Amino acid sequence: MAKVTVLGTGMVGASFAYRLLNSGLASEMLLVDANHMRAEGEMMDLNHAMPFEHPCQVEVGDYADIKGSEVVVISAGAAQRPGETRLDLVQRNAAIFRDMIPQVAKAAPEAIMVIATNPVDIMTQAAIKYSEFAPERVVGSGTILDTARFRYLLGEYYGVDPRSVHAYIIGEHGDSEVPAFSCASIAGVPLADVAKQLGKEYDLNDMEDIFQQVRTAAYEIINRKGSTYYAIASGLLRVTEAILRDQSTAFSVSNVMTGQYGIKDVCLSLPMVVSRKGITATLTLPLNEKELEGFRHSAQVLGELAAKTL
Ligand code: NAD
């Protein structure tokens, strides 16, 4: 049984902690937050769920207590306010990571870090740099949430369970993200053919509308309820499960490019295989020209920001 640290127990961290308790994956859970009282409140609330849940030792602590954690899930830092982009958070959260990450790496040199703090691609690159971990041991949550939104909406459109939809959002987790429509399928059948087989039209305007809903989902939710947390918490739980259970699952997580489509030294999302060792493989999709151009644009946006910030 595993020890998992939740670093940052705001809306995302607390939602993840609750999913982790429900899952029974961890025997020990450490909550760390600059706001100690908030972490304590979450611990108390989680402990009171214990008679209904799996046994788990939940504690609140400091960086040194992270020792022995197999996975450290990081969602500490500022979140978007209405009208802000993810990239607007970069200075505030880079400063937090500069201070926080070396302390995490010192306390738990064997851990796998999973990063959710935005802008997540830059924060993943920051975590790799400031921890001096091998890049594969730092898993950025990247576009897992965008991919989930994409699959959900395509599933609704075609009337199929989203778990039978194979489709990825790649590139930046943010405004320049790219829908890989040309590689999307339902049960291996390309979307245009699926439409025919299901007696529907393959309408490019509808597909564009679905992508716009994916791209603007965070803004729409933040305008309505302040922040987004349940879906990312479920995604973080799946990534944590893939690590702890050594499942070699493909997720669109973020890590440093090493020559994919000629791109290097910038963190972006592509489908990557996640196991007990972290990221063990990065897969390239057979993209069309427009998608490739979009992916290169994401690389340029993030590369420039990383160079200015880190
Ligand atoms: P929140 O404001 O509710 O929580 C942030 C927490 O971080 C707070 O409890 C705060 O006390 C803590 N914190 C701040 N500085 C800290 C430090 N130096 N050390 C320890 N803790 C510190 O925000 P939230 O809604 O939970 O969002 C957290 C982050 O996750 C944001 O950056 C947000 O943009 C991001 N997010 C990412 C995704 C994704 O898909 N990757 C989805 C939703 C939110």
Side-chain angles (χ1 to χ4, degrees):
M1 293 295 278
K3 173 172 173 177
V4 174
T5 288
V6 184
L7 177 42
T9 59
M11 297 311 296
V12 171
S15 304
F16 167 73
Y18 184 54
R19 287 291 289 119
L20 186 65
L21 185 70
N22 298 157
S23 74
L25 273 172
S27 54
E28 281 180 72
M29 188 192 323
L30 176 74
L31 307 180
V32 181
D33 197 288
N35 181 346
H36 199 76
M37 292 270 280
R38 184 168 185 173
E40 267 181 1
E42 295 299 348
M43 174 190 71
M44 291 160 73
D45 206 359
L46 291 168
N47 276 338
H48 301 162
M50 213 69 79
F52 310 112
E53 300 290 347
H54 302 269
C56 182
Q57 187 70 36
V58 184
E59 305 218 325
V60 168
D62 216 325
Y63 292 113
D65 303 309
I66 297 175
K67 187 168 183 276
S69 299
E70 272 145 85
V71 180
V72 180
V73 175
I74 303 181
S75 62
Q80 283 166 276
R81 289 180 288 239
E84 275 186 325
T85 71
R86 295 176 180 94
L87 298 182
D88 289 335
L89 304 171
V90 73
Q91 296 301 343
R92 277 171 278 165
N93 287 343
I96 289 172
F97 269 45
R98 226 169 272 131
D99 172 60
M100 184 174 75
I101 296 293
Q103 302 189 64
V104 177
K106 186 170 169 219
E110 306 299 325
I112 306 288
M113 290 190 205
V114 178
I115 312 295
T117 305
N118 274 320
V120 73
D121 305 289
I122 304 281
M123 292 305 120
T124 303
Q125 202 155 340
I128 293 168
K129 180 170 176 178
Y130 302 140
S131 65
E132 298 181 13
F133 276 15
E136 58 268 24
R137 289 184 40 228
V138 181
V139 183
S141 63
T143 54
I144 57 169
L145 178 54
D146 318 75
T147 288
R149 288 170 173 154
F150 194 37
R151 291 177 181 192
Y152 166 75
L153 290 167
L154 287 170
E156 283 283 293
Y157 184 85
Y158 286 104
V160 172
D161 182 341
R163 292 171 300 181
S164 301
V165 178
H166 297 275
Y168 288 97
I169 299 284
I170 57 171
E172 178 196 353
H173 169 55
D175 296 345
S176 75
E177 65 192 21
V178 179
F181 274 113
S182 67
C183 318
S185 79
I186 291 175
V189 184
L191 292 186
D193 296 344
V194 159
K196 262 185 249 150
Q197 292 184 31
L198 295 176
K200 295 190 179 219
E201 252 183 75
Y202 183 61
D203 186 327
L204 289 177
N205 290 331
D206 288 350
M207 293 302 110
E208 177 59 25
D209 183 51
I210 284 177
F211 170 56
Q212 288 311 325
Q213 286 184 58
V214 170
R215 206 169 70 88
T216 57
Y219 298 107
E220 294 293 338
I221 297 170
I222 288 167
N223 281 340
R224 286 167 173 80
K225 66 169 210 168
S227 53
T228 84
Y229 35 89
Y230 296 135
I232 184 60
S234 291
L236 293 169
L237 199 264
R238 271 298 289 123
V239 171
T240 302
E241 182 187 31
I243 296 168
L244 293 176
R245 296 213 171 132
D246 200 18
Q247 290 174 331
S248 297
T249 308
F251 299 107
S252 55
V253 287
S254 183
N255 203 256
V256 70
M257 295 291 105
T258 54
Q260 292 81 3
Y261 310 108
I263 296 165
K264 278 188 180 168
D265 304 329
V266 56
C267 282
L268 290 170
S269 287
L270 279 176
M272 300 186 193
V273 178
V274 177
S275 73
R276 186 65 196 83
K277 292 189 179 121
I279 293 168
T280 54
T282 299
L283 307 176
T284 50
L285 296 163
L287 302 175
N288 65 27
E289 262 314 305
K290 184 177 167 216
E291 293 160 352
L292 200 51
E293 199 184 302
F295 191 76
R296 291 203 173 111
H297 175 61
S298 260
Q300 192 191 341
V301 170
L302 292 170
E304 283 170 9
L305 189 60
K308 267 195 273 175
T309 314
L310 306 179

